[in-house]
Amino acid sequence: MDESIWNSVRASRGWLDAANGTGDAELTCRILKLTEEAGEVAGAWIGVLGQNPRKGVTHSREDVGAELADVAFTALVAIESLGLDPRALLDACAAKVRARTGTG
């Protein structure tokens, strides 16, 4: 990943720390934010499928992709907020998947 992503993750954590503190309640909210973002992915996908007859088709696949990116970034900020290294954890996760799938 580009270094600017990791810099943005650290900067976002710093901004949130300064605005909201770093206690367990704040960490809980940062982790729960993932659920909120995932709900936005679900809503966008429902909008792609036009599953709400009252609204019809309201979103594109690009909208869904953007919401998924929000989930990924929010997860990285939450990991950083736990005092862990999101880059190392993401690398370890990718290695685990590569080993499981035999792709590297």
Side-chain angles (χ1 to χ4, degrees):
M1 277 196 220
D2 186 289
E3 196 62 34
S4 68
I5 293 171
W6 304 113
N7 291 337
S8 295
V9 167
R10 281 188 297 279
S12 294
R13 178 203 176 171
W15 177 69
L16 289 168
D17 287 353
N20 300 329
T22 59
D24 285 348
E26 174 59 22
L27 291 174
T28 300
C29 289
R30 291 184 201 182
I31 293 167
L32 291 176
K33 179 77 173 158
L34 284 165
T35 303
E36 177 190 1
E37 295 295 346
E40 291 177 13
V41 173
W45 186 245
I46 287 168
V48 167
L49 300 176
Q51 285 297 301
N52 184 334
R54 185 174 48 82
K55 295 181 180 179
V57 174
T58 58
H59 290 77
S60 67
R61 287 178 177 257
E62 290 76 16
D63 294 329
V64 175
E67 295 296 348
L68 286 166
D70 285 348
V71 171
F73 191 82
T74 300
L76 295 174
V77 172
I79 292 168
E80 177 81 21
S81 296
L82 290 168
L84 304 171
D85 181 353
R87 183 189 316 232
L89 287 171
L90 196 58
D91 285 345
C93 181
K96 179 177 65 177
V97 170
R98 284 192 306 274
R100 183 182 320 134
T101 61
T103 59

